[in-house]
Amino acid sequence: MRKLTYILLIFFNISYAQDILTTEMAVKLTLENNLDIKVSENILEISKNNSSILNSDYLPNISATSGITRNQGDVEVKTNQGISAKIDDTYNDENFGSVNIVYNLIDGRGRRYNYKKSKELFNRTELEVKEIIENTLLQLFTVYFDFARLTKEKKILKNTLDISVERLDRVKTKYKFGQSTSLEVSSAEVDKNTDSLNYLNIIKVLSNTKRDLNLIMNVDLETDFKVVEDIDFINEIEAEKFFNLGVNNNTLFQILNKDVEISDLELKAIKSTYLPTVQLRGSYGWNETIDEIAYNPVNEFYSKGISTGLNISIPIFDGGKRITATKNARLNLENSLIQKNKNELEIGKNLRNAYETYKNNLFLLQIQEKSFQTSKLSFSKFEEKYSLGLVSSLEFRQAQTNLLRAELLFNSSMFETKISELIFLKLSGEIVSNY
């Protein structure tokens, strides 16, 4: 008996010591640990690097070159006066070095459009990361609130089981004193076993759901916790505001807008290649030559200095590549606009469906709550009558079953409404800001 008491104390201490996992903590863990989000953040960093001024044509190109050359061999010299000479194994050394700079002064505004395009590509990547975070949070909250629903359901089924155990004990006692039948005892035992199986099944499902939640947060799969079971909903005024602004705030729609802007900048950048370019060049260099040949009037030569130049390039014809690129860019822009218009209608439809589903679920939740309160009151009366022996065991079981069904439906409706709210918030682009 002491051993059993000790085990029970350990169980309750462990249960009591479980951490409460709030939605804020779950979001924090997910944003820190989720692997999909980590990959998307790295992609965002790459896009940021690509949009830097260092990856544009606004900065000059600077290079340095140097070299050493030695020419060695036999030399034979003949002059107009008939003098000739031969020198064996002579050499000629040449050393040189220079620092060069090239800068595009004018390039038909091409680099301006390309730089703008790189910034818009970065903004688009930011929106793609936001979309990944939104989808991950929706998945997180769906599992989180499903875990909360199952936790409540477990309590409901445990309470039902306790009532069934108490009923069985009562029927057995009555049967012992001849106030009940063996049929009533058997019926009570069957009901108790049914409730026990339901309770064991919900424990198994709850354990699996816990692992699903830990997987999304990328923590140890066996990490134990409790969740906040109480839920609240956004108010009607906020929901209406989110709906009215939903299409424009929808992340996918914003990505489609960026696609149109990027396609437009791409077309402008290609058109700029028809314009002349002006390039500034400059260099500082030195050159040294040493010649061993005695007949050479200059045996050593040394020079240094600065040279500058201006290059102007006027494109005339490149075999039709620019014409083809311009046509394709116009078609890409047209396709971007078509995709935007097509998806705008679909996003609007999905948003309206989600909004109406959420409102309908709120209405059904009120009905389910009233039904639950009615069943609760009815069961309370039956429980009192059953204790006084005014109703049979079967009638009491029917009242218990009605209460269980109403309570489970109310519990399920409450969390189903919450999930529909989250889907609506995701489509309206508000799920991140509201958590």
Side-chain angles (χ1 to χ4, degrees):
M1 183 67 183
R2 287 182 178 178
K3 185 177 180 182
L4 177 61
T5 304
Y6 179 69
I7 292 172
L8 288 173
L9 284 172
I10 291 177
F11 174 77
F12 285 118
N13 284 335
I14 291 174
S15 299
Y16 181 78
Q18 285 180 344
D19 292 331
I20 301 295
L21 180 69
T22 64
T23 53
E24 291 80 7
M25 292 170 60
V27 169
K28 184 175 183 295
L29 286 170
T30 302
L31 294 178
E32 290 176 353
N33 301 328
N34 185 271
L35 299 180
D36 289 335
I37 294 177
K38 284 187 175 182
V39 170
S40 67
E41 287 174 346
N42 287 338
I43 293 173
L44 179 63
E45 191 65 25
I46 292 172
S47 182
K48 182 181 178 181
N49 294 337
N50 290 337
S51 66
S52 168
I53 189 72
L54 298 175
N55 196 43
S56 69
D57 290 329
Y58 277 104
L59 300 180
N61 292 323
I62 300 175
S63 63
T65 59
S66 64
I68 299 174
T69 303
R70 163 166 284 208
N71 298 314
Q72 189 169 357
D74 300 332
V75 177
E76 186 175 347
V77 180
K78 291 183 179 181
T79 66
N80 294 329
Q81 289 78 21
I83 301 173
S84 64
K86 184 178 181 182
I87 304 175
D88 297 328
D89 196 26
T90 186
Y91 66 88
N92 172 277
D93 289 339
E94 183 178 356
N95 306 318
F96 66 92
S98 66
V99 177
N100 311 293
I101 181 170
V102 178
Y103 183 70
N104 295 320
L105 289 176
I106 301 171
D107 70 340
R109 305 181 80 179
R111 62 183 169 188
R112 177 187 175 188
Y113 293 131
N114 285 323
Y115 184 62
K116 279 186 175 182
K117 187 178 78 171
S118 69
K119 290 296 182 183
E120 293 304 325
L121 284 170
F122 171 69
N123 293 335
R124 188 188 190 280
T125 306
E126 276 190 318
L127 291 171
E128 288 176 336
V129 172
K130 183 186 175 187
E131 177 81 358
I132 291 172
I133 291 174
E134 287 178 346
N135 290 330
T136 304
L137 289 184
L138 179 59
Q139 183 185 17
L140 170 72
F141 291 137
T142 299
V143 179
Y144 180 94
F145 287 112
D146 193 39
F147 186 86
R149 176 186 65 81
L150 292 169
T151 302
K152 274 198 169 185
E153 194 169 313
K154 176 186 171 185
K155 292 179 180 178
I156 295 169
L157 293 175
K158 180 63 170 66
N159 182 58
T160 301
L161 177 59
D162 291 341
I163 294 172
S164 294
V165 170
E166 184 182 349
R167 173 187 163 221
L168 178 59
D169 291 340
R170 183 189 293 269
V171 170
K172 283 182 176 179
T173 302
K174 290 173 68 178
Y175 178 73
K176 185 178 179 181
F177 291 98
Q179 296 177 351
S180 181
T181 64
S182 60
L183 181 61
E184 282 188 308
V185 175
S186 297
S187 178
E189 284 182 344
V190 170
D191 292 337
K192 190 266 291 185
N193 291 337
T194 300
D195 294 340
S196 297
L197 288 173
N198 290 337
Y199 182 65
L200 291 174
N201 283 333
I202 200 68
I203 290 175
K204 181 185 72 174
V205 175
L206 194 60
S207 180
N208 292 341
T209 307
K210 179 197 70 176
R211 293 188 187 94
D212 291 339
L213 186 55
N214 284 333
L215 181 63
I216 296 172
M217 297 186 295
N218 195 28
V219 297
D220 191 325
L221 294 179
E222 298 305 322
T223 301
D224 218 355
F225 51 80
K226 292 181 178 179
V227 297
V228 179
E229 299 172 28
D230 298 329
I231 60 176
D232 52 11
F233 303 98
I234 56 176
N235 61 57
E236 188 176 345
I237 297 176
E238 275 188 316
E240 186 176 358
K241 182 182 72 172
F242 293 159
F243 172 71
N244 292 332
L245 301 174
V247 173
N248 289 329
N249 289 340
N250 180 273
T251 306
L252 178 58
F253 183 71
Q254 292 177 346
I255 290 174
L256 293 168
N257 274 331
K258 286 297 173 189
D259 286 340
V260 173
E261 293 178 28
I262 291 167
S263 297
D264 183 56
L265 289 170
E266 178 68 21
L267 177 59
K268 290 178 178 177
I270 292 174
K271 285 182 176 180
S272 69
T273 61
Y274 287 91
L275 301 176
T277 60
V278 179
Q279 191 178 72
L280 177 66
R281 292 181 174 273
S283 67
Y284 172 81
W286 62 272
N287 187 289
E288 180 184 32
T289 302
I290 300 175
D291 197 341
E292 190 189 32
I293 301 174
Y295 296 100
N296 196 333
V298 180
N299 293 101
E300 291 187 13
F301 176 82
Y302 179 79
S303 68
K304 65 177 179 178
I306 297 173
S307 66
T308 58
L310 195 67
N311 295 341
I312 300 176
S313 175
I314 301 175
I316 297 175
F317 184 67
D318 66 346
K321 293 179 181 179
R322 277 193 301 269
I323 295 173
T324 302
T326 303
K327 288 180 179 179
N328 291 339
R330 284 199 181 99
L331 290 172
N332 284 332
L333 177 58
E334 184 179 347
N335 284 340
S336 298
L337 289 168
I338 292 171
Q339 285 294 329
K340 175 188 170 183
N341 294 333
K342 173 178 174 270
N343 284 276
E344 184 177 7
L345 293 173
E346 188 172 351
I347 291 168
K349 180 205 72 174
N350 293 338
L351 179 65
R352 180 170 291 278
N353 289 347
Y355 181 52
E356 291 181 356
T357 299
Y358 172 57
K359 288 196 301 181
N360 185 61
N361 285 343
L362 283 174
F363 176 72
L364 293 176
L365 179 61
Q366 293 176 348
I367 295 175
Q368 294 292 351
E369 185 177 14
K370 290 178 181 178
S371 177
F372 166 61
Q373 294 300 335
T374 302
S375 297
K376 189 176 180 182
L377 180 61
S378 175
F379 176 75
S380 180
K381 292 178 180 179
F382 267 91
E383 191 174 30
E384 184 180 351
K385 289 180 180 180
Y386 182 66
S387 64
L388 297 174
L390 299 177
V391 295
S392 68
S393 176
L394 294 177
E395 289 175 317
F396 177 75
R397 175 61 180 181
Q398 185 61 47
Q400 182 190 16
T401 303
N402 291 339
L403 174 62
L404 175 62
R405 185 184 300 111
E407 192 169 6
L408 289 177
L409 284 173
F410 173 57
N411 184 58
S412 178
S413 179
M414 182 166 53
F415 286 98
E416 185 179 341
T417 304
K418 187 62 182 177
I419 298 302
S420 67
E421 178 195 80
L422 291 166
I423 294 172
F424 167 66
L425 288 175
K426 195 275 174 190
L427 289 171
S428 61
E430 298 291 342
I431 191 169
V432 174
S433 58
N434 276 269
Y435 286 93

